[in-house]
Amino acid sequence: MGSVALVCAAGAALVVFATGRVWAQAAFAGSGSGHTSGMSDLTGADLSATGALGWAALAAMAAVFAVRGAARIAVGALLALLGAGTVLLALTATDASSARAALLGDSGTIVVGSTDAVTVAATAWPWLAAAGGLVIALAGLWTAVRGRAWPGMSARYERGARPAKAAAPDDPAALWKSLDRGEDPTADADADTEAPTAPR
C-alpha cells in the first residue's frame, strides 16, 4: 500500500507542478477595430483545471489509509476517475478554442474578438501533466482491485477498541508480541504484587 501511495503522490505532484508551467504560446491577430495583435504565454492553470484534480488526487490517496473494505474500493475508483479526467483535460487544453477562451478571460490589455485568428504552439508540459494523470489513474485502479486486502489503521487507534490480553509471563513469544503492540506485559503482574493488604 505504501508504494502505491508514493507512486500516486508522485503523479499528483507532477500534475500540480506541470500545471504551473507554460503550456502554450498563443499568437493572435486582431481583425477588427480596437483589437490588438501579439503573443501570450498560457500556463496550465490558464487553460485547464488539472491542478485542482491533482490536489484532489492527493487528498483521496490520503483517505485510502483511513478507510477499508468497500470504502477503499470507492476511493480507488475516484482516483481512477481523477486521473482519467486529468489526462483528458491535459491533452485537449492547448487547442485554439481553449487558448481563445483563456485570452478572453485575461485581465490585462489583451483583447481578442470572436473573429480574431489564434494560433497555438504547445510545449511539452501538457504531456507531462497527462503522464502524471495516467499514473494517478493506474494507482486508483490498483487500489480498487487490491485495496480490500490491504491493512487498515491499527485497531488500537479506533474508538472502543478492546485492549489485548496481557501475555503470560512464561511465554516469551507472547511477551515480544505485546511489546511490539506497545503494551507493558508486566502490568498485570505488578498489579497483583501491589494488591492492598487487609487492615488489622
Side-chain angles (χ1 to χ4, degrees):
M1 180 170 65
S3 59
V4 176
L6 288 176
V7 169
C8 183
L14 177 59
V15 170
V16 173
F17 179 76
T19 300
R21 308 299 102 190
V22 174
W23 281 23
Q25 289 183 329
F28 50 95
S31 59
S33 176
H35 293 175
T36 61
S37 300
M39 181 175 291
S40 178
D41 290 338
L42 300 175
T43 67
D46 296 326
L47 296 168
S48 72
T50 52
L53 295 183
W55 285 114
L58 283 174
M61 192 67 241
V64 170
F65 292 93
V67 297
R68 62 180 68 185
R72 183 172 289 166
I73 294 174
V75 174
L78 175 61
L79 280 169
L81 290 175
L82 290 172
T86 299
V87 173
L88 179 62
L89 289 179
L91 295 182
T92 59
T94 55
D95 57 7
S97 60
S98 298
R100 178 177 283 108
L103 292 171
L104 284 170
D106 197 311
S107 59
T109 60
I110 298 173
V111 179
V112 179
S114 59
T115 61
D116 293 346
V118 177
T119 57
V120 180
T123 67
W125 286 108
W127 291 96
L128 291 176
L134 181 60
V135 169
I136 295 171
L138 292 176
L141 289 175
W142 189 260
T143 301
V145 173
R146 303 293 300 272
R148 187 184 290 271
W150 294 344
M153 295 179 64
S154 177
R156 62 179 165 162
Y157 296 111
E158 296 178 1
R159 180 175 297 182
R162 296 181 179 179
K165 296 178 67 175
D170 56 348
D171 187 356
L175 289 173
W176 281 112
K177 290 180 180 178
S178 62
L179 287 173
D180 288 339
R181 291 193 299 266
E183 301 169 358
D184 182 4
T186 64
D188 289 349
D190 293 342
D192 293 340
T193 57
E194 296 177 2
T197 58
R200 295 182 180 179

